[in-house]
């Protein structure tokens, strides 16, 4: 069996194709079940993010595997095979391992060095484990990929080359102005309360927006995220609003970040045009800012005129917190660190889905914050549990997908008209109609424009060091897998030799029955030593040769030369796989 990956990503396909090929949660499950039902595959899992869709499988036939996996991807993505094929890439054996390790290190990400992909790899592994489609190879591969990614972030400065998509997107909205200066005092609307939306809200709070409204299909999740933001110590005023109020909130917002699981548009061109036509965000009177620690869930009233913008309160949580150790931080530390581009150990964008709370309510948020208690309510809450809020919201949103027809266009730059409304769309499929960039006074940054901008982003010198780590780890993983492949054959050979010794000793007992126990033991030990010495050099050497590229044939040669029963070798493999000491069935940490 050999590792095969078939997929497409932002490097091989335009965003419009990725958008159409995106897989829902149900589609992933059906894809994996159908992959195992296909003849070439013995185990599989799928890595699906907004930037890539990749199907990993252990196959016994390369060409049949490629054909079958490509067909299944097309079938479950809804894109015709002949249309999808030009954008597919294929990696096999060591190249497939190299590809996944590079992905885990952030080398293949839209923003090089970002750490969010680690969480998505965890999710892919967790899904395969949950569905029992991930066997020994997939488990070993993905567990090692996570370790390689963590090693790259801890041993190099790859984090300096990358940042979160949220931070990068805000930089694109701010153009040449520092994000903190651009965001200071602005009103923000965050649509969604999942892991990426939670990260966006924390980022906006850190860079200095004055007010954040959180809209979500489930009001409880929006309220909980608002509670967390207020308790963060950044001084931001946060409140929850229903999705039905989003159109009204657009007229009050300066910046909007949207990342939901909807399959249709959340903001249409008409929505945005109506909001902009209502005048600048400061056209309505400004309500008093809520006091820190209070969450307002009722919409702000109409405001004929705004006072001069006020700088947000200076608080200890406002500025960057470089060097903050996320393990020792308060409740918002994990999101804030991620927002600063330091999420080297934070598995964002879905990582939290693999973290199991000690005793969560069946239908409640695992971040147990009493509504209205503000900052004091979060005292003592473990930082890891905050990630669970985003995952809890993500899982709830999966059931509320919309069917509105989509209109696809490409985001373009702005002209000389001042920007009235800045929009950041981090969803795939898109939440915001791409045609809104044609509306005067609107600036839109989406996944496609982020891909174009990241192509020109500077690369850190540490990228070469990470590439070296990947090459080293690929060689070590390949050697370990090849050595493991020869082991059942060696064990079967030694078992056969032990059986031969036992048969010959029994035969000797029949011929020389007068041997006492001491003599019989000496003869038996002598025969065993002879057999062991004859087998020692070949078995040691075959393990060494098998660990080298192209060494898989030595196991077959050994089986052929010693006429080993294939069923015996297979039974050794099954017994080895069932040994808990040789496998880690738990999820990666």
């Amino acid at each position: 069996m050999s590792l095969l990956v078939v997929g497409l990503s932002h490097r091989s396909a335009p965003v419009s194709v990725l958008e159409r090929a995106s897989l829902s949660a149900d589609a992933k499950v059906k894809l994996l079940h159908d992959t195992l039902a296909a003849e070439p595959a013995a185990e599989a899992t799928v890595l699906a993010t907004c930037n890539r869709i990749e199907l990993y499988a252990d196959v016994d036939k390369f060409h049949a595997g490629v054909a079958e996996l490509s067909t299944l991807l097309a079938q479950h993505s809804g894109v015709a095979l002949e249309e999808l094929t030009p954008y597919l890439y294929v990696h096999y054996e060591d190249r497939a391992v190299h590809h996944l390790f590079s992905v885990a290190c952030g080398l293949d990400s839209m923003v090089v060095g970002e750490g969010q992909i680690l969480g998505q790899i965890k999710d892919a592994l967790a899904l395969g484990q949950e569905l029992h489609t991930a066997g020994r190879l997939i488990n070993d591969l993905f567990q090692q990929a996570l370790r390689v990614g963590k090693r790259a972030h801890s041993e190099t400065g790859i984090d300096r080359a990358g940042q979160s998509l949220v931070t990068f997107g805000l930089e694109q909205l701010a153009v040449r102005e520092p994000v903190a200066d651009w965001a200071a005092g602005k009103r923000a609307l965050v649509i969604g309360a999942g892991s990426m939306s939670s990260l966006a809200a924390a980022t906006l709070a850190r860079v200095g927006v004055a007010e954040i409204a959180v809209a979500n299909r489930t009001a409880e999740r929006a309220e909980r995220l608002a509670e967390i933001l207020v308790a963060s110590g950044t001084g931001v005023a946060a409140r929850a609003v229903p999705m039905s109020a989003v159109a009204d909130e657009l007229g009050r917002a300066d910046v909007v970040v949207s990342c939901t699981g909807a399959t249709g548009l959340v903001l249409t061109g008409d929505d945005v045009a109506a909001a902009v036509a209502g005048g600048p965000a400061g056209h309505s009177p400004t309500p008093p800012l809520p006091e820190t620690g209070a969450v307002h869930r009722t919409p702000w009233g109409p405001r004929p005129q705004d006072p001069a913008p006020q700088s947000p309160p200076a608080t200890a949580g406002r500025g960057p917190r470089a060097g903050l150790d996320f393990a020792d931080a308060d409740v918002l530390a994990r999101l804030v660190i991620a927002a600063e581009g330091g999420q080297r150990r934070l598995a964002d964008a879905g990582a939290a889905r693999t973290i199991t709370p000690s005793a969560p309510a069946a239908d409640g948020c695992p971040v147990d914050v009493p509504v209205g208690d503000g900052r004091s309510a979060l005292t003592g809450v473990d930082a890891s549990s905050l990630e669970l809020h985003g995952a809890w919201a993500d899982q709830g949103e999966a059931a509320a997908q919309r069917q509105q027809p989509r209109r696809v266009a490409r985001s373009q730059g702005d002209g000389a008209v001042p920007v009235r409304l800045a929009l950041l769309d981090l969803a795939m499929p898109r939440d915001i109609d791409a045609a809104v960039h044609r509306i005067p006074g609107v600036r839109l940054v989406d996944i496609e424009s982020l891909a174009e901008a990241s192509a020109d982003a500077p690369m850190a010198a540490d990228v070469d060091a990470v590439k070296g780590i990947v090459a080293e780890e690929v060689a070590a993983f390949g050697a370990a897998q090849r050595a493991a492949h020869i082991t059942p054959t060696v064990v079967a050979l030694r078992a056969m030799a032990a059986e031969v010794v036992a048969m010959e000793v029994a035969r000797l007992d029949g011929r020389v029955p007068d041997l006492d126990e001491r003599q019989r033991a000496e003869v038996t030990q002598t025969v065993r030593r002879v057999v062991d010495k004859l087998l020692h050099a070949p078995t040691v050497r075959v393990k060494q040769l098998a660990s080298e590229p192209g060494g898989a044939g030595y196991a077959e040669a050994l089986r052929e030369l010693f006429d080993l029963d294939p069923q015996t070798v297979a039974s050794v493999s099954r017994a080895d796989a069932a040994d808990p000491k040789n496998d880690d069935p738990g999820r990666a940490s």
Side-chain angles (χ1 to χ4, degrees):
M1 304 298 285
S2 300
L3 179 66
L4 174 68
V5 55
V6 177
L8 66 161
S9 74
H10 65 100
R11 295 185 181 275
S12 69
V15 171
S16 58
V17 174
L18 282 173
E19 190 174 34
R20 292 172 53 210
S22 61
L23 299 172
S24 66
D26 288 342
K28 293 178 190 177
V29 172
K30 293 176 181 177
L31 171 61
L32 290 181
H33 284 319
D34 288 352
T35 300
L36 257 65
E39 182 178 344
E43 53 180 292
T45 195
V46 59
L47 176 60
T49 74
C50 60
N51 298 326
R52 70 182 66 252
I53 304 167
E54 297 175 345
L55 182 56
Y56 290 78
D58 187 10
V59 300
D60 58 359
K61 299 175 183 177
F62 173 73
H63 294 289
V66 172
E68 189 66 39
L69 266 58
S70 301
T71 301
L72 288 170
L73 274 176
Q75 175 184 336
H76 289 279
S77 67
V79 180
L81 180 60
E82 57 271 18
E83 184 179 356
L84 193 63
T85 298
Y87 305 111
L88 293 177
Y89 49 76
V90 175
H91 298 296
Y92 190 56
E93 293 188 329
D94 283 356
R95 289 300 307 167
V97 177
H98 188 281
H99 173 74
L100 181 60
F101 287 4
S102 297
V103 169
C105 293
L107 293 180
D108 198 58
S109 296
M110 184 181 295
V111 180
V112 174
E114 57 91 13
Q116 298 169 4
I117 187 63
L118 287 175
Q120 295 157 341
I121 291 175
K122 278 187 178 182
D123 277 350
L125 175 58
L127 181 62
Q129 291 171 335
E130 180 183 350
L131 300 177
H132 303 291
T133 62
R136 169 62 67 85
L137 178 60
I138 295 296
N139 272 281
D140 287 351
L141 175 68
F142 276 68
Q143 296 271 8
Q144 188 62 25
L146 290 169
R147 287 190 282 268
V148 173
K150 293 174 183 177
R151 179 188 170 192
H153 284 289
S154 63
E155 295 184 11
T156 74
I158 189 66
D159 290 331
R160 293 193 296 269
Q163 55 193 319
S164 74
L165 278 178
V166 174
T167 304
F168 191 58
L170 292 178
E171 288 182 354
Q172 299 307 304
L173 287 177
V175 194
R176 288 171 292 276
E177 188 178 1
V179 173
D181 295 344
W182 169 82
K186 279 184 167 58
R187 302 182 187 86
L189 170 62
V190 175
I191 306 176
S195 51
M196 184 66 81
S197 298
S198 298
L199 175 60
T203 306
L204 290 167
R206 178 184 62 84
V207 298
V209 298
E211 303 164 356
I212 299 178
V214 181
N216 194 61
R217 291 188 177 279
T218 306
E220 180 189 0
R221 296 182 174 102
E223 292 168 4
R224 191 55 50 89
L225 179 54
E227 291 277 359
I228 294 171
L229 291 170
V230 169
S232 67
T234 58
V236 69
R239 60 195 179 92
V241 299
M243 286 296 291
S244 59
V246 164
D248 294 334
E249 292 299 325
L250 280 177
R252 303 181 179 99
D254 303 296
V255 55
V256 178
V257 180
S258 186
C259 186
T260 74
T263 56
L265 295 175
V266 174
L267 295 180
T268 66
D270 292 341
D271 295 333
V272 175
V276 174
H283 188 67
S284 305
T286 306
L289 287 180
E291 295 179 2
T292 301
V295 176
H296 290 246
R297 297 183 184 83
T298 55
W300 292 313
R303 295 166 294 183
Q305 188 174 0
D306 247 358
Q310 299 178 1
S311 297
T315 66
R318 177 62 52 114
R321 296 159 64 183
L324 176 63
D325 187 336
F326 75 96
D328 300 325
D330 60 15
V331 67
L332 201 64
R334 292 176 80 86
L335 284 183
V336 173
I337 289 175
E340 293 169 359
Q343 68 281 38
R344 55 177 70 73
R345 296 175 182 82
L346 172 63
D348 175 352
R353 298 179 192 129
T354 65
I355 302 174
T356 304
S358 55
D363 57 353
C365 176
V367 183
D368 188 14
V369 183
V371 175
D373 284 357
R375 184 180 309 175
S376 62
L378 283 90
T379 303
V381 177
D382 182 75
S384 299
S385 65
L386 189 58
E387 290 185 44
L388 291 168
H389 170 79
W392 169 71
D394 280 341
Q395 292 162 0
E397 289 300 291
Q401 297 185 346
R402 300 175 63 186
Q403 302 300 323
Q404 182 177 345
R406 302 185 43 73
R407 290 173 286 172
V408 178
R410 180 172 177 171
S411 175
Q412 299 178 358
D414 299 299
V417 179
V419 175
R420 150 69 183 88
L421 185 61
L423 304 169
L424 177 57
D425 185 358
L426 297 174
M428 182 64 71
R430 287 177 255 217
D431 281 346
I432 303 174
D433 189 344
V436 303
H437 74 277
R438 300 191 181 98
I439 302 173
V442 173
R443 178 169 178 78
L444 170 66
V445 171
D446 58 14
I447 292 295
E448 187 166 11
S449 57
L450 283 175
E452 295 173 355
S454 66
D456 300 324
M459 299 281 284
D462 298 274
V463 168
D464 287 338
V466 173
K467 290 180 178 179
I469 289 175
V470 169
E472 175 187 330
E473 293 284 356
V474 169
F477 183 83
Q481 290 295 310
R482 287 187 286 270
H485 182 69
I486 196 71
T487 298
T489 301
V490 172
V491 171
L493 174 61
R494 290 195 170 275
M496 183 191 74
E499 185 178 349
V500 171
V501 169
M503 291 173 59
E504 290 302 316
V505 169
R507 181 171 175 273
L508 181 64
D509 285 342
R511 288 189 155 196
V512 189
D514 298 332
L515 291 177
D516 57 32
E517 290 298 325
R518 187 186 63 81
Q519 292 170 330
R520 184 180 291 103
E522 185 63 32
V523 171
T524 301
Q525 187 63 26
T526 298
V527 175
R528 287 175 178 167
R529 281 198 298 266
V530 171
V531 172
D532 286 343
K533 287 183 177 180
L534 287 174
L535 292 181
H536 177 72
T539 53
V540 170
R541 186 61 180 149
V542 77
K543 287 183 178 180
Q544 294 172 342
L545 293 171
S547 66
E548 299 174 358
Y554 289 101
E556 180 62 33
L558 205 61
R559 290 193 292 270
E560 187 69 25
L561 289 172
F562 286 91
D563 194 24
L564 297 177
D565 184 356
Q567 295 298 323
T568 302
V569 177
S571 66
V572 172
S573 300
R574 289 193 295 271
D576 182 62
D579 187 347
K581 296 183 294 184
N582 298 328
D583 194 14
D584 180 11
R587 294 181 180 180
S589 60

